[in-house]
Amino acid sequence: MRSGTLGILACAMLVLGGCGRMGDSSLNPFRWFGGGSGAPRQQTLEPEGGYPTVIEDGRLPLAQITSAKWEPLYEGRMLVVTGLAASKGWWDVALVTEVPMPRGRIRPDQDGVLRLRLVGKPPLPDTFAAANPPQPASDTVTVALTLPNAALADLREVVITGAGNAITLRR
């Protein structure tokens, strides 16, 4: 009976030793004869290849920024920017950061300056819209960007650039 109890205890120790996070424990039987990796793989939230270092957006800057203003919100502020494109028919207009940031996370640089660009996609080259200049009264483009209070905490000013000019807003 003693040898049966010792056999059961030895099997239980082997099973429990093998349960140690599959690779971290030296009692893991998969590592006894060279199996398994020597060092556990580090887990990170960084995407494979790292974060992008260049802006891979195919949109071009709008010709002119005509106005920019702050609108108060309960959870932060909304930045409203109006611009004028080089011709009629620009689409997919947006405010993008000059420095690539993860989607949904906007933060100013170490000096408290948030640098944005007003960009969009021009119309196809051989269309009516591409051949005609814009009418300032009817062809202005307005976009907005919501900034939560967390992003506004370190923000001192916002610089919005287009192809022909730039506007600076202080907080």
Side-chain angles (χ1 to χ4, degrees), residues 35-53:
S37 61
R41 184 174 175 259
Q42 294 292 329
Q43 292 183 353
T44 178
L45 295 176
E46 184 176 343
E48 289 215 17
Y51 288 107
T53 56

Side-chain angles (χ1 to χ4, degrees), residues 34-73:
S37 61
R41 184 174 175 259
Q42 294 292 329
Q43 292 183 353
T44 178
L45 295 176
E46 184 176 343
E48 289 215 17
Y51 288 107
T53 56
V54 296
I55 298 173
E56 297 173 3
D57 192 355
R59 295 180 282 192
L60 303 172
L62 264 68
Q64 183 179 8
I65 299 172
T66 56
S67 69
K69 64 180 180 176
W70 290 109
E71 292 288 334
L73 295 175

Side-chain angles (χ1 to χ4, degrees), residues 50-114:
Y51 288 107
T53 56
V54 296
I55 298 173
E56 297 173 3
D57 192 355
R59 295 180 282 192
L60 303 172
L62 264 68
Q64 183 179 8
I65 299 172
T66 56
S67 69
K69 64 180 180 176
W70 290 109
E71 292 288 334
L73 295 175
Y74 177 72
E75 63 275 354
R77 286 187 180 181
M78 182 168 42
L79 177 63
V80 180
V81 178
T82 305
L84 192 61
S87 66
K88 294 178 179 282
W90 281 60
W91 56 285
D92 196 18
V93 178
L95 287 168
V96 296
T97 57
E98 286 187 3
V99 176
M101 293 184 191
R103 185 177 294 269
R105 293 189 182 177
I106 295 178
R107 58 178 165 70
D109 61 10
Q110 65 272 12
D111 297 328
V113 179
L114 179 61

Side-chain angles (χ1 to χ4, degrees), residues 121-139:
K121 292 186 180 178
L124 295 174
D126 296 330
T127 60
F128 171 80
N132 288 306
Q135 298 294 325
S138 62
D139 293 329

